[in-house]
Each structure stands twice: as structure tokens, then as C-alpha cells.
Amino acid sequence: MKIAKTIKEVREIVSEWKKLGLSVGLVPTMGYLHEGHQSLIRCSNENDRTVVSVFVNPIQFGPNEDFASYPRDLERDTKKCEEAGADLIFAPEASEMYAEDFSSFVDMTGPTDELCGLRRPGHFRGVCTVVSKLFNIVTPDRAYFGQKDAQQLAVIRRMVRDLSFGIEIVGCPIVREEDGLAKSSRNTYLSADERKAAVVISKSLKAGQEMIEKGETDTAKIIASITAMIESEPLAKIDYIKAVDADSIEPVDTVSGRILFAAAVYIGKTRLIDNFIAERN
Ligand code: AMP
């Protein structure tokens, strides 16, 4: 497994592949890879070559967030990439991505105004900026993002359309632990008790999904039921639970079209997100 630390190395390798007419997939990650990331790499194996970026992007973290403590282990990530069939890891230092006088950002209004965009000011500006850089560095044919970060997927799709990146964005399903908890690098922060408590997030969302299957279309009622279930768990504290249009991320009152039910919940000090999409015409 080749690990490139510089932009120049990636450009050289990818340009050789392109000369051979090979297609290239990109899987952007912050590392500490798990089966969720590996599922994206496996999706990307539909391309001739797959690049995985491993970069804990400082500019998408707020001042009181977990940038410093975010888990990092490139050796472990390398094995996970090999297992899943990636061809190249791009693991730059922050200084390779951001010059000291770095001053250009990609920003958005609309899909970033709600959910995590509202609760984590500047987060999506950081995400859009780093993903734009990765697109320019790797020049992939396709890029793979998890439905786990549903708002991020909607934001990236909008950015690619608006800025004419000419890259196909592929969304991949959420990979879960056996008890339903969505896999996340941040799950490593949880104590044993918190880990047990965290299952309330996926359980409550599943109960909400079942209400819709039984015919409920009032998003306020569904959100109230999800909220009550989460509030019954003493270690959980809700950051938000909302129903929004899955593409525009605008709040909705009725389940009609593709509706994203998204939750952000603190379990102890760890902020976890999860969601489901309901489709009804
Ligand atoms: P991260 O390293 O957390 O920034 O995630 C990198 C990519 O992996 C993003 O596109 C995430 O949506 C995706 N991802 C993270 N966790 C999961 C999961 N449990 N299932 C599917 N995709 C995931």
C-alpha cells in the first residue's frame, strides 16, 4: 500500500493511472477507519483505482470540539485500507494542505443552514473547503460519502452541482454495530456504560421509522416520540432531532417526498449523529 504525504506525489501517481485510461475513486475520511469507511472503499472498487484520504481536517472543528483528541493511527488505517482493496492513501500533514497564509474558502448557504450547520458554525465551510481541495488534488471520476453524515452528503452534492466539479457523488448506506449503533470513530470515546446507553439513538430512530410505516405523516409527532425515548436515557442529552427535506435540508411538517430524520445526541461528552430517510409520495 502506497502512502503519499504530499500533493505532488498524489498528482504524479494519479496522472500515471490516467495515462493508462484507468478510472479513479476517492474516499475522503478523517481516519481511524472502521467497517463504515471500508464499505465506502468497497463501493469505490467499481473504479480501477481507489484513493483513500486520511486527514483530520483542522478547519472543520470548532474551538471547543475534539480536534486534538480525535483518534489517529495511520498504521491501523493502512491495514484497513489494504483489507478493503484501496490502492493509495493520501495522508498529508496540515501544513501540506494549509499554508500559513491560507485564505480561500468554499462556503454555502441553504443546505448548511440547519442541523449540524446550525449547531457547528463554520463546520461545513471547513468540509467544503477540504473536499474541494481533495477533488482538485486527486481529480477522481467518482467520490464516495456515507449516508451516516446525511447533511454532509447533501452539501457535497449541492457543491459539486453548483461549482461544476464534474465528479459523480456516490452515497453509501450506514453501517451499524450489531445492536444498531451507527459505526463511528467517535464511538471509541464511550465508556462501557455510555456504549450501552448509546443504542438509544438508533432504537428511537427505528421506532420513528416504524411510526411512518404504520401511516404517521406528522413530523412533529414522530420527533416527539423519538425525543421522549432518548430523554428516558439518563446519559443522553439531545443536541437536535429534526425532520428536513433530504436534498434541501429545509425543515418539513409532513412526511412527503424524501424526508431526512436526523439526530445529534450527546452521550456523556461524546456527540453522536444518526439518521434515517423516509420516502413517501
Ligand atoms: P469520517 O472519517 O467520520 O469523516 O467519515 C468519512 C466518511 O465515511 C464519510 O463519508 C462518512 O459519512 C462515512 N462513514 C462514517 N461512518 C460511517 C458508517 N457507519 N456507515 C457508512 N459510512 C460511514
Side-chain angles (χ1 to χ4, degrees):
M1 171 69 53
K2 172 83 185 151
I3 302 173
K5 290 278 192 182
T6 65
I7 294 166
K8 185 166 174 276
E9 280 173 275
V10 175
R11 288 217 163 108
E12 282 168 5
I13 293 167
V14 172
S15 100
E16 286 306 312
W17 290 343
K18 295 220 163 162
K19 270 186 219 156
L20 297 170
L22 302 175
S23 60
V24 178
L26 170 66
V27 180
T29 82
M30 297 205 299
Y32 217 74
L33 304 183
H34 50 67
E35 282 160 44
H37 301 109
Q38 287 183 308
S39 76
L40 304 190
I41 299 171
R42 292 198 176 98
C43 283
S44 175
N45 288 342
E46 67 180 314
N47 299 283
D48 297 312
R49 296 288 182 270
T50 291
V51 181
V52 178
S53 60
V54 173
F55 181 57
V56 185
N57 176 33
I59 69 166
Q60 72 186 64
F61 287 79
N64 298 316
E65 293 183 351
D66 57 343
F67 174 68
S69 57
Y70 199 86
R72 293 160 169 90
D73 187 341
L74 188 56
E75 211 176 302
R76 182 178 175 279
D77 288 341
T78 307
K79 287 196 191 106
K80 298 266 180 195
C81 283
E82 265 163 9
E83 247 174 55
D87 299 281
L88 173 66
I89 296 176
F90 176 43
E93 296 295 332
S95 56
E96 177 71 8
M97 294 292 272
Y98 301 114
E100 252 174 56
D101 57 354
F102 184 88
S103 48
S104 309
F105 296 88
V106 180
D107 213 344
M108 187 182 289
T109 54
T112 56
D113 293 348
E114 278 289 338
L115 312 180
C116 288
L118 199 59
R119 305 298 294 169
R120 304 182 66 188
H123 171 66
F124 285 115
R125 181 185 198 237
V127 169
C128 288
T129 303
V130 79
V131 171
S132 298
K133 281 180 69 76
L134 291 168
F135 285 174
N136 286 331
I137 294 162
V138 178
T139 62
D141 299 284
R142 299 183 189 84
Y144 296 79
F145 293 86
Q147 190 59 49
K148 156 93 184 341
D149 298 82
Q151 185 178 19
Q152 172 173 274
L153 179 56
V155 164
I156 299 296
R157 285 192 196 283
R158 178 68 64 90
M159 179 185 83
V160 163
R161 189 205 68 185
D162 286 354
L163 301 184
S164 311
F165 270 104
I167 292 167
E168 185 187 335
I169 301 303
V170 184
C172 306
I174 302 176
V175 177
R176 298 180 178 280
E177 301 288 353
E178 244 170 58
D179 64 358
L181 176 67
K183 290 197 183 244
S184 166
S185 309
R186 289 191 168 97
N187 292 348
T188 55
Y189 296 149
L190 301 172
S191 69
D193 283 348
E194 288 170 346
R195 172 63 189 82
K196 274 189 216 145
V199 76
V200 76
I201 305 170
S202 56
K203 260 197 180 158
S204 64
L205 289 173
K206 191 148 186 271
Q209 215 165 358
E210 283 163 6
M211 286 174 79
I212 296 168
E213 279 159 21
K214 286 186 189 142
E216 183 58 68
T217 57
D218 182 344
T219 60
K221 283 190 187 154
I222 299 156
I223 289 168
S225 150
I226 297 170
T227 302
M229 248 179 112
I230 295 180
E231 282 178 345
S232 72
E233 170 49 63
L235 293 177
K237 193 171 156 279
I238 293 169
D239 188 27
Y240 66 72
I241 298 167
K242 276 187 189 165
V244 298
D245 178 273
D247 298 314
S248 69
I249 314 293
E250 281 168 24
V252 293
D253 297 330
T254 309
V255 182
S256 169
R258 277 183 78 238
I259 304 305
L260 168 68
F261 284 81
V265 178
Y266 285 95
I267 301 292
K269 288 199 164 78
T270 303
R271 185 177 177 280
L272 300 176
I273 57 171
D274 199 351
N275 68 80
F276 70 88
I277 288 183
E279 286 197 69
R280 181 185 284 266
N281 292 316

